[in-house]
Amino acid sequence: SSLRLQPALLLHLHDSLFHEGGGGDIPEEFRCPITHDIMGDPVSASDGNTYERCAIEAWMARSSSSPLTRERLDSTLHPNFSLRNSIATWEENIISRCGPAQRLRWENRRLRRRERR
């Protein structure tokens, strides 16, 4: 899906900037425990954990229990604005290290993502 383009590109940028250059890890709390991708729309569920919205919604369509704790989930999801802001700050740091061509591709995808919200 087009929503997953952004995290996939960010992972690619991270890999090319840090792993090849020697250092830096993606903070584990930025990854969805279901998809293991960087979250673009993190939401907190009733089990106290944060997930990518589309991943936990798909999970909840098939199961009423938490993917991590197995406790019963209610259907209420709360946006995790604090985590979203932390990811955005980290993301800007990664993008600032890109070359012009990578930065332009990234900005175009980010604008498309904002238009979908």
Side-chain angles (χ1 to χ4, degrees):
S1 82
S2 57
L3 181 62
R4 293 176 59 92
L5 287 176
Q6 181 267 338
L9 177 62
L10 191 55
L11 285 170
H12 171 74
L13 292 174
H14 176 271
D15 288 346
S16 65
L17 292 168
F18 288 105
H19 291 301
E20 294 171 12
D25 289 318
I26 298 169
E28 195 60 33
E29 64 270 19
F30 292 178
R31 292 180 183 267
C32 173
I34 297 171
T35 66
H36 304 287
D37 289 332
I38 297 169
M39 291 181 274
D41 187 12
V43 293
S44 297
S46 62
D47 66 353
N49 293 291
T50 299
Y51 304 91
E52 175 64 34
R53 181 182 297 277
C54 61
I56 193 64
E57 285 176 345
W59 179 275
M60 292 168 64
R62 322 185 284 276
S63 175
S64 61
S65 63
S66 163
L68 295 177
T69 66
R70 303 293 183 230
E71 68 185 73
R72 185 164 185 77
L73 288 175
D74 67 38
S75 61
T76 306
L77 299 173
H78 302 280
N80 188 331
F81 295 116
S82 176
L83 182 58
R84 183 185 296 174
N85 291 337
S86 294
I87 292 170
T89 299
W90 179 81
E91 171 183 87
E92 288 300 323
N93 184 30
I94 297 293
I95 293 169
S96 71
R97 298 177 187 182
C98 293
Q102 286 178 315
R103 185 174 293 135
L104 181 60
R105 282 193 306 269
W106 171 254
E107 292 298 334
N108 285 335
R109 285 185 171 131
R110 189 160 55 171
L111 287 172
R112 285 194 303 268
R113 184 182 75 179
R114 285 182 183 160
E115 289 171 357
R116 285 192 301 270
R117 286 187 184 175

PDB file of all heavy atoms in Angstrom, residues 4-20:
ATOM      1  N   ARG A   4       2.814   2.462   3.184  1.00  0.00           N
ATOM      2  CA  ARG A   4       4.033   1.773   3.570  1.00  0.00           C
ATOM      3  C   ARG A   4       5.251   2.231   2.763  1.00  0.00           C
ATOM      4  O   ARG A   4       6.355   1.854   3.084  1.00  0.00           O
ATOM      5  CB  ARG A   4       3.845   0.269   3.462  1.00  0.00           C
ATOM      6  CG  ARG A   4       2.841  -0.239   4.474  1.00  0.00           C
ATOM      7  CD  ARG A   4       2.585  -1.696   4.312  1.00  0.00           C
ATOM      8  NE  ARG A   4       3.787  -2.469   4.466  1.00  0.00           N
ATOM      9  CZ  ARG A   4       4.219  -2.993   5.603  1.00  0.00           C
ATOM     10  NH1 ARG A   4       3.536  -2.795   6.701  1.00  0.00           N
ATOM     11  NH2 ARG A   4       5.316  -3.703   5.647  1.00  0.00           N
ATOM     12  N   LEU A   5       5.056   3.075   1.744  1.00  0.00           N
ATOM     13  CA  LEU A   5       6.199   3.583   1.001  1.00  0.00           C
ATOM     14  C   LEU A   5       7.098   4.429   1.894  1.00  0.00           C
ATOM     15  O   LEU A   5       8.308   4.317   1.845  1.00  0.00           O
ATOM     16  CB  LEU A   5       5.737   4.426  -0.190  1.00  0.00           C
ATOM     17  CG  LEU A   5       5.144   3.683  -1.358  1.00  0.00           C
ATOM     18  CD1 LEU A   5       4.641   4.681  -2.398  1.00  0.00           C
ATOM     19  CD2 LEU A   5       6.161   2.748  -1.976  1.00  0.00           C
ATOM     20  N   GLN A   6       6.514   5.261   2.701  1.00  0.00           N
ATOM     21  CA  GLN A   6       7.298   6.160   3.534  1.00  0.00           C
ATOM     22  C   GLN A   6       8.197   5.406   4.505  1.00  0.00           C
ATOM     23  O   GLN A   6       9.402   5.645   4.509  1.00  0.00           O
ATOM     24  CB  GLN A   6       6.366   7.139   4.261  1.00  0.00           C
ATOM     25  CG  GLN A   6       7.082   8.133   5.142  1.00  0.00           C
ATOM     26  CD  GLN A   6       7.221   7.683   6.575  1.00  0.00           C
ATOM     27  OE1 GLN A   6       6.471   6.832   7.043  1.00  0.00           O
ATOM     28  NE2 GLN A   6       8.185   8.216   7.274  1.00  0.00           N
ATOM     29  N   PRO A   7       7.699   4.488   5.318  1.00  0.00           N
ATOM     30  CA  PRO A   7       8.612   3.770   6.208  1.00  0.00           C
ATOM     31  C   PRO A   7       9.661   2.961   5.455  1.00  0.00           C
ATOM     32  O   PRO A   7      10.812   2.895   5.882  1.00  0.00           O
ATOM     33  CB  PRO A   7       7.684   2.860   7.017  1.00  0.00           C
ATOM     34  CG  PRO A   7       6.357   3.527   6.970  1.00  0.00           C
ATOM     35  CD  PRO A   7       6.307   4.164   5.608  1.00  0.00           C
ATOM     36  N   ALA A   8       9.284   2.383   4.329  1.00  0.00           N
ATOM     37  CA  ALA A   8      10.252   1.598   3.565  1.00  0.00           C
ATOM     38  C   ALA A   8      11.374   2.491   3.049  1.00  0.00           C
ATOM     39  O   ALA A   8      12.549   2.125   3.102  1.00  0.00           O
ATOM     40  CB  ALA A   8       9.550   0.885   2.409  1.00  0.00           C
ATOM     41  N   LEU A   9      11.044   3.678   2.553  1.00  0.00           N
ATOM     42  CA  LEU A   9      12.065   4.599   2.079  1.00  0.00           C
ATOM     43  C   LEU A   9      12.942   5.056   3.229  1.00  0.00           C
ATOM     44  O   LEU A   9      14.161   5.130   3.104  1.00  0.00           O
ATOM     45  CB  LEU A   9      11.428   5.810   1.392  1.00  0.00           C
ATOM     46  CG  LEU A   9      12.414   6.879   0.917  1.00  0.00           C
ATOM     47  CD1 LEU A   9      13.371   6.297  -0.124  1.00  0.00           C
ATOM     48  CD2 LEU A   9      11.677   8.068   0.351  1.00  0.00           C
ATOM     49  N   LEU A  10      12.344   5.331   4.370  1.00  0.00           N
ATOM     50  CA  LEU A  10      13.121   5.767   5.522  1.00  0.00           C
ATOM     51  C   LEU A  10      14.096   4.677   5.962  1.00  0.00           C
ATOM     52  O   LEU A  10      15.252   4.957   6.280  1.00  0.00           O
ATOM     53  CB  LEU A  10      12.190   6.156   6.675  1.00  0.00           C
ATOM     54  CG  LEU A  10      12.851   6.869   7.844  1.00  0.00           C
ATOM     55  CD1 LEU A  10      13.596   8.109   7.399  1.00  0.00           C
ATOM     56  CD2 LEU A  10      11.798   7.240   8.869  1.00  0.00           C
ATOM     57  N   LEU A  11      13.656   3.432   5.964  1.00  0.00           N
ATOM     58  CA  LEU A  11      14.561   2.330   6.292  1.00  0.00           C
ATOM     59  C   LEU A  11      15.711   2.259   5.291  1.00  0.00           C
ATOM     60  O   LEU A  11      16.859   2.053   5.667  1.00  0.00           O
ATOM     61  CB  LEU A  11      13.804   1.002   6.321  1.00  0.00           C
ATOM     62  CG  LEU A  11      12.933   0.773   7.541  1.00  0.00           C
ATOM     63  CD1 LEU A  11      12.049  -0.449   7.320  1.00  0.00           C
ATOM     64  CD2 LEU A  11      13.759   0.621   8.791  1.00  0.00           C
ATOM     65  N   HIS A  12      15.399   2.452   4.009  1.00  0.00           N
ATOM     66  CA  HIS A  12      16.445   2.434   2.987  1.00  0.00           C
ATOM     67  C   HIS A  12      17.446   3.561   3.219  1.00  0.00           C
ATOM     68  O   HIS A  12      18.662   3.358   3.160  1.00  0.00           O
ATOM     69  CB  HIS A  12      15.835   2.549   1.591  1.00  0.00           C
ATOM     70  CG  HIS A  12      16.853   2.744   0.521  1.00  0.00           C
ATOM     71  ND1 HIS A  12      17.674   1.725   0.092  1.00  0.00           N
ATOM     72  CD2 HIS A  12      17.219   3.845  -0.162  1.00  0.00           C
ATOM     73  CE1 HIS A  12      18.496   2.196  -0.833  1.00  0.00           C
ATOM     74  NE2 HIS A  12      18.236   3.479  -1.006  1.00  0.00           N
ATOM     75  N   LEU A  13      16.947   4.765   3.496  1.00  0.00           N
ATOM     76  CA  LEU A  13      17.839   5.891   3.758  1.00  0.00           C
ATOM     77  C   LEU A  13      18.700   5.624   4.986  1.00  0.00           C
ATOM     78  O   LEU A  13      19.894   5.893   4.989  1.00  0.00           O
ATOM     79  CB  LEU A  13      17.034   7.182   3.952  1.00  0.00           C
ATOM     80  CG  LEU A  13      16.326   7.718   2.723  1.00  0.00           C
ATOM     81  CD1 LEU A  13      15.460   8.912   3.114  1.00  0.00           C
ATOM     82  CD2 LEU A  13      17.320   8.099   1.650  1.00  0.00           C
ATOM     83  N   HIS A  14      18.078   5.095   6.028  1.00  0.00           N
ATOM     84  CA  HIS A  14      18.825   4.788   7.241  1.00  0.00           C
ATOM     85  C   HIS A  14      19.931   3.797   6.941  1.00  0.00           C
ATOM     86  O   HIS A  14      21.079   3.983   7.344  1.00  0.00           O
ATOM     87  CB  HIS A  14      17.896   4.235   8.326  1.00  0.00           C
ATOM     88  CG  HIS A  14      18.641   3.828   9.546  1.00  0.00           C
ATOM     89  ND1 HIS A  14      19.149   2.561   9.691  1.00  0.00           N
ATOM     90  CD2 HIS A  14      18.992   4.526  10.645  1.00  0.00           C
ATOM     91  CE1 HIS A  14      19.780   2.493  10.851  1.00  0.00           C
ATOM     92  NE2 HIS A  14      19.699   3.667  11.443  1.00  0.00           N
ATOM     93  N   ASP A  15      19.606   2.737   6.222  1.00  0.00           N
ATOM     94  CA  ASP A  15      20.604   1.719   5.903  1.00  0.00           C
ATOM     95  C   ASP A  15      21.764   2.314   5.113  1.00  0.00           C
ATOM     96  O   ASP A  15      22.923   2.047   5.402  1.00  0.00           O
ATOM     97  CB  ASP A  15      19.985   0.571   5.109  1.00  0.00           C
ATOM     98  CG  ASP A  15      19.083  -0.295   5.972  1.00  0.00           C
ATOM     99  OD1 ASP A  15      19.153  -0.171   7.205  1.00  0.00           O
ATOM    100  OD2 ASP A  15      18.315  -1.079   5.396  1.00  0.00           O
ATOM    101  N   SER A  16      21.453   3.148   4.116  1.00  0.00           N
ATOM    102  CA  SER A  16      22.523   3.691   3.283  1.00  0.00           C
ATOM    103  C   SER A  16      23.358   4.710   4.038  1.00  0.00           C
ATOM    104  O   SER A  16      24.550   4.837   3.797  1.00  0.00           O
ATOM    105  CB  SER A  16      21.947   4.300   1.999  1.00  0.00           C
ATOM    106  OG  SER A  16      21.134   5.403   2.298  1.00  0.00           O
ATOM    107  N   LEU A  17      22.761   5.425   4.974  1.00  0.00           N
ATOM    108  CA  LEU A  17      23.499   6.457   5.697  1.00  0.00           C
ATOM    109  C   LEU A  17      24.272   5.930   6.895  1.00  0.00           C
ATOM    110  O   LEU A  17      25.357   6.413   7.199  1.00  0.00           O
ATOM    111  CB  LEU A  17      22.545   7.557   6.170  1.00  0.00           C
ATOM    112  CG  LEU A  17      21.931   8.397   5.060  1.00  0.00           C
ATOM    113  CD1 LEU A  17      20.805   9.243   5.610  1.00  0.00           C
ATOM    114  CD2 LEU A  17      22.991   9.272   4.418  1.00  0.00           C
ATOM    115  N   PHE A  18      23.699   4.956   7.606  1.00  0.00           N
ATOM    116  CA  PHE A  18      24.306   4.535   8.855  1.00  0.00           C
ATOM    117  C   PHE A  18      25.017   3.193   8.777  1.00  0.00           C
ATOM    118  O   PHE A  18      26.149   3.068   9.182  1.00  0.00           O
ATOM    119  CB  PHE A  18      23.258   4.498   9.972  1.00  0.00           C
ATOM    120  CG  PHE A  18      22.845   5.868  10.388  1.00  0.00           C
ATOM    121  CD1 PHE A  18      21.624   6.377   9.995  1.00  0.00           C
ATOM    122  CD2 PHE A  18      23.674   6.657  11.149  1.00  0.00           C
ATOM    123  CE1 PHE A  18      21.243   7.647  10.363  1.00  0.00           C
ATOM    124  CE2 PHE A  18      23.302   7.931  11.526  1.00  0.00           C
ATOM    125  CZ  PHE A  18      22.084   8.426  11.129  1.00  0.00           C
ATOM    126  N   HIS A  19      24.352   2.182   8.252  1.00  0.00           N
ATOM    127  CA  HIS A  19      24.957   0.858   8.259  1.00  0.00           C
ATOM    128  C   HIS A  19      26.199   0.809   7.378  1.00  0.00           C
ATOM    129  O   HIS A  19      27.201   0.234   7.762  1.00  0.00           O
ATOM    130  CB  HIS A  19      23.951  -0.217   7.866  1.00  0.00           C
ATOM    131  CG  HIS A  19      22.898  -0.404   8.916  1.00  0.00           C
ATOM    132  ND1 HIS A  19      23.197  -0.753  10.205  1.00  0.00           N
ATOM    133  CD2 HIS A  19      21.558  -0.238   8.872  1.00  0.00           C
ATOM    134  CE1 HIS A  19      22.081  -0.808  10.914  1.00  0.00           C
ATOM    135  NE2 HIS A  19      21.073  -0.502  10.133  1.00  0.00           N
ATOM    136  N   GLU A  20      26.138   1.442   6.219  1.00  0.00           N
ATOM    137  CA  GLU A  20      27.317   1.462   5.354  1.00  0.00           C
ATOM    138  C   GLU A  20      28.377   2.389   5.916  1.00  0.00           C
ATOM    139  O   GLU A  20      29.554   2.201   5.717  1.00  0.00           O
ATOM    140  CB  GLU A  20      26.930   1.873   3.937  1.00  0.00           C
ATOM    141  CG  GLU A  20      26.050   0.847   3.257  1.00  0.00           C
ATOM    142  CD  GLU A  20      25.491   1.341   1.940  1.00  0.00           C
ATOM    143  OE1 GLU A  20      25.960   2.381   1.437  1.00  0.00           O
ATOM    144  OE2 GLU A  20      24.580   0.686   1.417  1.00  0.00           O
TER     145      GLU A  20
END
